[in-house]
Amino acid sequence: MPSELERAMESFIQVFHRYSSTEGSSGTLSRRELKTLMETELSTFLKSQKDPGAVDRMMRDLDTNGDGEVNFEEFVALVVGLSVACEQCYQLAKLGKK
Ligand SMILES: [Ca+2]
């Protein structure tokens, strides 16, 4: 029986592959796949990002090896970055309640 964290890691891998396998190389996210993933899976966290250039900027920031695609390692950086930001909000919210 996997733990809560292990299940989270598994979903994270599954989500990446669900989107990365829709077109082109199945092991990487194209710009369009990244856009769909962000709109579908990160709509709550990224709802402030309404401007159309957001996906392009995200793509540029994430694509550290510059091949025009986002691989799993590059995708991990997005989720880690968002988690750090969320954890900071969580800490601030807890402080606010005191
Ligand atoms: Ca890349």
Side-chain angles (χ1 to χ4, degrees), residues 24-39:
S25 165
S26 66
T28 54
L29 295 167
S30 63
R31 187 195 171 282
R32 192 155 52 172
E33 287 169 340
L34 177 70
K35 185 174 188 284
T36 314
L37 187 154
M38 283 169 59
E39 286 171 354

Side-chain angles (χ1 to χ4, degrees), residues 13-71:
I13 295 165
Q14 281 171 350
V15 166
F16 177 83
H17 285 282
R18 189 179 311 143
Y19 292 88
S20 72
S21 60
T22 57
E23 66 172 18
S25 165
S26 66
T28 54
L29 295 167
S30 63
R31 187 195 171 282
R32 192 155 52 172
E33 287 169 340
L34 177 70
K35 185 174 188 284
T36 314
L37 187 154
M38 283 169 59
E39 286 171 354
T40 316
E41 305 291 338
L42 294 167
S43 57
T44 313
F45 285 9
L46 298 174
K47 63 172 170 264
S48 52
Q49 305 254 17
K50 279 275 176 261
D51 71 298
V55 176
D56 287 322
R57 279 202 306 278
M58 192 73 88
M59 187 86 202
R60 228 181 8 245
D61 290 349
L62 292 178
D63 184 17
T64 47
N65 67 2
D67 65 354
E69 300 264 316
V70 173
N71 62 26

